[in-house]
Amino acid sequence: MNKNYTIKNNKIYIKNSVLNILQTLECGQVFSYKKTNENNYIVLSADKKCKIIKVKNETIITPQNILEINYWINYFDLNNNYDELKKQLFNLNKLNLNKLNLNNIKINNKTNKISENELKINNKLNNYLINILNDAIIFGNGIRILKQDIFETIISFIISANNNIKRIQKILFIMREKIGTNFNFPTLEQMSKKNEQFFKDIGCGYRAKYLENICRQLKNVDLNSLKDIDLNSLKKYLISLSGIGPKVADCVLLFGFGKQNVFPVDTWIEKVFVSSFGIVGLSRERISEILVQIFGELSGVAQQYLFYFAQQKKLL
DNA sequence: GACCAGGGCGGCC
DNA sequence: GGCCGCCATGGT
């Protein structure tokens, strides 16, 4: 079988057709990286670091610690076949969408039956969703879903609430600088020593209280051991934590726990959904449920292509 | 100066 | 259970 990567001299070599490092880092799934110049990046994950250089036909990952090669192979999801995932997404057709029971979609808290005309409009807009998705896959062709550290993902996406990517990055770097050691992401123990006022002072705003609370809640919790819990229970547990609602939980499940059948719905995905289906007034939770019904195990990648496309193109 | 950013919480019904 | 106002901060 042809591998996605080769290893020489403790470096990982990946064809650019397999990984587009710019798209993968800048598509909004991760915040702790630095672009050092046009084709160079430094990626930080928990207490690990790697350098990335993009040359003509390939991208070269150099782990800071040669013992951590496998960590980065897993991090960049290099054993997964994205051509196959994209093929399956391209093959999604109207049949999948027509399986949806649109008659039971609640609008403004009433279970409205959708009229014939509205159904026609919806079918037209279903095609629009497929068209957007096709464009989005082409636009973000080299995106891979990263498998990130769970604790770092939790803290990062609590910060992300009603926030913009640049400020999220800034806050997370300050955390590495002022709470962690050696610019590593802070451990739970290090975070627990700081209080609400400290988090406010470094710019977390009203999310400061959530951070203080969740550190208390996570004391003595082994996050990695939660991987085997069934999806619904795990999501319920995450939502029970301070600062985590349905959307942040979905992001943690996707980017931290590697669960594929979740569909985080933020403002951008909501815009895509509304413009595609023409249905206004659904909660983001409901939109997420509908999209998971459509995309199933392809939800994670579909969501990321759509988010990157919508956010970069500033779709309305 | 209003509006927006990868939303969540608490209060109210 | 669903809806709504509020929550910090920095950028357009």
Side-chain angles (χ1 to χ4, degrees):
Chain A
M1 75 185 243
N2 57 353
K3 266 192 163 185
N4 285 331
Y5 61 94
T6 57
I7 298 174
K8 283 183 288 184
N9 300 326
N10 299 316
K11 297 171 195 272
I12 309 167
Y13 293 76
I14 310 146
K15 285 179 185 161
N16 288 337
S17 56
V18 173
L19 166 71
N20 184 315
I21 189 63
L22 182 146
Q23 292 172 355
T24 297
L25 292 178
E26 301 193 354
C27 69
Q29 61 177 322
V30 61
F31 307 102
S32 292
Y33 64 90
K34 272 186 179 171
K35 190 173 185 174
T36 50
N37 70 39
E38 185 56 31
N39 290 309
N40 293 23
Y41 290 88
I42 292 173
V43 176
L44 305 163
S45 175
D47 60 347
K48 297 173 183 61
K49 195 200 283 194
C50 71
K51 266 197 257 181
I52 297 178
I53 302 172
K54 183 179 177 184
V55 294
K56 269 228 163 73
N57 296 318
E58 58 188 1
T59 296
I60 306 163
I61 299 175
T62 308
Q64 185 181 46
N65 183 335
I66 59 171
L67 299 176
E68 290 165 357
I69 282 197
N70 285 330
Y71 179 87
W72 295 106
I73 289 172
N74 177 63
Y75 181 89
F76 285 101
D77 201 16
L78 292 180
N79 288 320
N80 204 343
N81 184 350
Y82 279 69
D83 285 338
E84 178 59 29
L85 295 178
K86 280 179 270 190
K87 194 170 141 193
Q88 291 177 26
L89 279 174
F90 276 124
N91 287 339
L92 272 182
N93 54 40
K94 282 184 288 182
L95 290 177
N96 299 72
L97 297 175
N98 287 337
K99 282 183 195 164
L100 266 184
N101 189 356
L102 288 170
N103 291 329
N104 284 331
I105 290 178
K106 283 186 176 178
I107 299 175
N108 294 331
N109 208 19
K110 295 178 201 167
T111 310
N112 285 352
K113 263 210 161 183
I114 294 176
S115 70
E116 279 298 313
N117 281 335
E118 284 171 328
L119 203 54
K120 280 180 190 168
I121 293 171
N122 282 325
N123 285 335
K124 230 165 115 184
L125 290 160
N126 289 343
N127 291 330
Y128 184 57
L129 176 64
I130 294 300
N131 287 334
I132 289 186
L133 183 62
N134 286 347
D135 290 345
I137 294 173
I138 292 167
F139 180 73
N141 189 45
I143 290 177
R144 303 180 77 82
I145 305 292
L146 299 175
K147 296 191 184 292
Q148 303 180 55
D149 177 78
I150 297 170
F151 180 66
E152 183 172 359
T153 307
I154 287 174
I155 302 301
S156 299
F157 280 93
I158 287 176
I159 302 294
S160 80
N162 199 23
N163 209 339
N164 60 71
I165 292 176
K166 283 204 167 152
R167 190 158 78 103
I168 299 165
Q169 287 181 322
K170 188 180 169 191
I171 292 170
L172 291 172
F173 274 123
I174 295 175
M175 283 188 169
R176 285 175 172 273
E177 185 189 340
K178 297 199 169 178
I179 312 176
T181 55
N182 197 23
F183 218 70
N184 292 332
F185 195 81
T187 62
L188 172 63
E189 290 69 28
Q190 291 170 327
M191 290 278 292
S192 302
K193 288 176 186 163
K194 306 298 183 187
N195 59 17
E196 180 183 358
Q197 187 57 47
F198 180 90
F199 294 127
K200 274 189 177 171
D201 290 341
I202 62 172
C204 295
Y206 63 87
R207 306 163 196 84
K209 187 73 183 171
Y210 306 155
L211 295 176
E212 185 181 309
N213 289 342
I214 199 170
C215 286
R216 196 161 42 242
Q217 293 172 307
L218 288 179
K219 194 164 178 101
N220 299 325
V221 174
D222 178 10
L223 290 171
N224 283 310
S225 72
L226 301 177
K227 280 181 183 170
D228 300 326
I229 301 178
D230 71 280
L231 186 63
N232 285 336
S233 306
L234 183 51
K235 184 165 177 175
K236 272 185 190 169
Y237 170 69
L238 290 172
I239 291 178
S240 78
L241 298 172
S242 180
I244 301 185
K247 190 270 178 183
V248 171
D250 282 339
C251 287
V252 172
L253 289 168
L254 176 57
F255 304 129
F257 286 97
K259 307 290 185 186
Q260 297 303 311
N261 53 338
V262 292
F263 210 114
V265 177
D266 73 320
T267 59
W268 294 106
I269 297 294
E270 183 181 11
K271 285 170 189 168
V272 170
F273 180 87
V274 170
S275 65
S276 297
F277 288 86
I279 303 172
V280 193
L282 296 188
S283 71
R284 290 184 183 178
E285 273 188 88
R286 189 75 186 106
I287 292 174
S288 177
E289 283 177 18
I290 293 169
L291 291 173
V292 168
Q293 281 186 53
I294 295 175
F295 291 104
E297 289 290 329
L298 297 170
S299 296
V301 280
Q303 183 274 159
Q304 205 50 34
Y305 290 127
L306 286 172
F307 172 82
Y308 183 55
F309 186 67
Q311 193 251 3
Q312 291 286 313
K313 299 278 187 186
K314 308 237 178 291
L315 288 188
L316 298 177

